[in-house]
Amino acid sequence: HEDPNGGDSNAYRTLRSSSGHTRVSRAVLGGGLSISTLPNNMTRVVEDSGKYYTWRIFGPENQRAENLWIDMNDVRHGQVRVHGILSNSYKQAVPVALSFDFPFYGHYLRQITIATGGFIFTGDITHRMLTATQYIAPLMANFDPSYSKESTVQYLDNGEVFVVQWEHVRIPGKESVGGFTFQVALYKTGTITFSYRDIPLSVDVISSAEHPVKAGLSDAFMVMSPSSQSQMIYEYHRVEIDVTKITNYSAVEFTPLPTCLLHDSCELCLSASQTSGCSWCHVLQRCSDGMDRHRQEWLDYDCAEESQGATFPDVKTDSSTKSVGLANTGVIAGLASALVLLLALILVSLYVSYHPSAVSPLYLIQRRKSYWPSLKFQKQESGYTEVEGGGHEKDSIVEAGPC
C-alpha cells in the first residue's frame, strides 16, 4: 500500500529521544524489502508445537484477566513515563533501554523499540517494515496517538517488569468509536502478558489496508545472501492470537519454555529432557537447534555438519579389557572419519578453485531452508529518519510516580 507521498504506508520512522536538533540518519540495510507473506488461512500459530511458549487467553469473566492488568496510576509499580514524541506522533517508533535482561525466544534483550501502532519491535536492526516480524504485539493496528490530547503512549520499568500502555489511542477514520486502551508487560522471568481495558470496536473488523492488524509474537534470524549484496530475514516462529477473543477486560499470558540456548555444556545440550533437537557446536561452545538469531554463526562455523555426529565425553570408567578395546575402536573410527572429512573438504576446495562458477556449499545449505517466510533487505535509499529531539509533552499529561 502506498501513501499519498509515494512512501510505503506500512513504513515506520524510528526516533531517538534527546534534545536539540533533527537529523537524517544513515541507511540501515536500506529501505527496500521483498516480503513473502504467510497464507491467510494460517491462524493462531506457525510451527508452534509448544516449543517456545505456552499461552492462555482469559475472558473478562476470569479473575486472572483482572489480576494481570497493571495499574499505571499505582505508584507502587514504579515511575511512569509518558513518551512525548510517541504520544504526539503517527507511525513512529522509539528505542528504549531495559533495566534488565529480558529473555525472548531464548535471547536476552536489553533494548526494545516501542511503536505507536500497538506493538514492540524486538529486532537488533531497525528497518521500514517493523510490522513484519520480530515483534511483541498486544494489538497491532493503525493507531494515531497524535489525534487527541487524551491519547498517550506510556511505560514503566521497575527492574522486574517493563510495561507499555497505549491509552485512548484512536484509529484514523474511526475516531468516533472511541479510544483503545491496552498494555503489554515483559517480566524478567520471560513471561509476557497482554491486557485489554477498552476495546470499543471488534478487532476483526478493523481495516488492515493502511496497517497490519494482528496480535501475538514473532521472531526471526538474519543471514547473508550468497551474493553478499543483501541480508535475508527468515521468520522461524510466530504465534497469532485469535483477535476475536480480544475484548474489554480480557488478557493473554505467555509462559516461556526452555530453549536449546539455555544449555551451557555439551552434556546438558544433548541429554536435557526439557528440550529436543539440540546440537552442540564445539567451536562456538553453544547449544542450538540452528533456528535462532545466531544462525549466521551456526552456518559460518559449519556447526550443522559438526553436530550430526556430536557426542559428549563419557565420564564413566570400566576396567574390563572389552570396554578398553571398544573405546580404542571408537577412537580409531573417529580418526578415520576425520581424515575422510578432511580429504572431502580438500577435494571440494580444489573443485571450487577450478570451477569458480560452481554453486557454493553455503548457498546449498541456505537453499534447503528456503521454505521459511523471508524478508529481503536491498541496499537502497534509507526509509528511516532518526530524530534527536525531546518533543513536547501534552498539556494534560505529567509524569506519575516518585522520582
Side-chain angles (χ1 to χ4, degrees), residues 150-170:
E150 295 180 352
S151 303
T152 63
V153 179
Q154 50 190 278
Y155 64 96
L156 69 82
D157 184 347
N158 63 17
E160 296 296 325
V161 62
F162 180 88
V163 185
V164 182
Q165 181 166 305
W166 292 262
E167 185 167 306
H168 304 309
V169 291
R170 298 173 187 261

Side-chain angles (χ1 to χ4, degrees), residues 342-387:
L342 180 61
L343 179 60
L345 290 175
I346 293 173
L347 291 175
V348 169
S349 300
L350 291 174
Y351 178 79
V352 172
S353 299
Y354 289 100
H355 300 81
S357 61
V359 180
S360 71
L362 178 57
Y363 179 70
L364 294 175
I365 292 173
Q366 293 184 358
R367 287 289 293 178
R368 289 203 299 267
K369 301 300 183 181
S370 63
Y371 53 81
W372 290 301
S374 63
L375 314 180
K376 184 176 182 180
F377 291 73
Q378 299 172 345
K379 293 184 178 180
Q380 300 174 2
E381 291 187 13
S382 171
Y384 265 81
T385 57
E386 225 177 13
V387 178

